[in-house]
Amino acid sequence: QVQLVESGGGLVQAGGSLRISCAASGRTFSSYTMGWFRQAPEKEREFVAAISWSGGNTYYADSVKGRFTISRDNAKNTVYLQMNSLKAEDTAVYYCAASMARDYVPKWGMDYWGKGTLVTVSS
């Protein structure tokens, strides 16, 4: 069982930056693929970024590629999402998720989810 707790959300102006974090419980964090997803008001949850267990592979949605960076610190059981050049359309609740797979495979889905952290970008 893995518990995920997101933090770092808040209000930021368009063009600004924000880093959100996800702290995971459990001794096997380093074996999980980690991901970030988001859900904007009245929209379905969508994939944002993912990182393999070793950090060697990263994946991004086209809408955030070049602006967002996912990273992980296995010693701290934490995954990060650095968000730069934020836009109003990035406003959403951001969810951290973990998969027992060693790499991200969209059709396999994610096994554990956090409760989310709200990011609001003002234009």
Side-chain angles (χ1 to χ4, degrees), residues 100-115:
M100 292 185 285
R102 290 298 185 105
D103 205 351
Y104 180 60
V105 180
K107 66 179 180 181
W108 290 354
M110 307 300 280
D111 299 299
Y112 303 100
W113 293 86
K115 294 183 178 181

Side-chain angles (χ1 to χ4, degrees), residues 33-99:
T33 286
M34 300 298 297
W36 287 98
F37 295 74
R38 67 186 182 186
Q39 186 168 18
E42 301 182 356
K43 291 189 177 180
E44 293 188 352
R45 187 163 58 190
E46 64 176 2
F47 168 77
V48 175
I51 186 167
S52 62
W53 70 280
S54 66
N57 294 329
T58 56
Y59 307 88
Y60 296 94
D62 288 342
S63 59
V64 307
K65 203 170 292 184
R67 300 188 298 122
F68 290 12
T69 302
I70 188 172
S71 62
R72 66 189 297 160
D73 185 337
N74 287 343
K76 295 183 178 180
N77 279 16
T78 302
V79 62
Y80 306 96
L81 186 67
Q82 176 67 44
M83 303 181 289
N84 299 328
S85 302
L86 282 160
K87 305 174 182 179
E89 51 263 44
D90 293 319
T91 294
V93 176
Y94 283 73
Y95 296 92
C96 175
S99 166

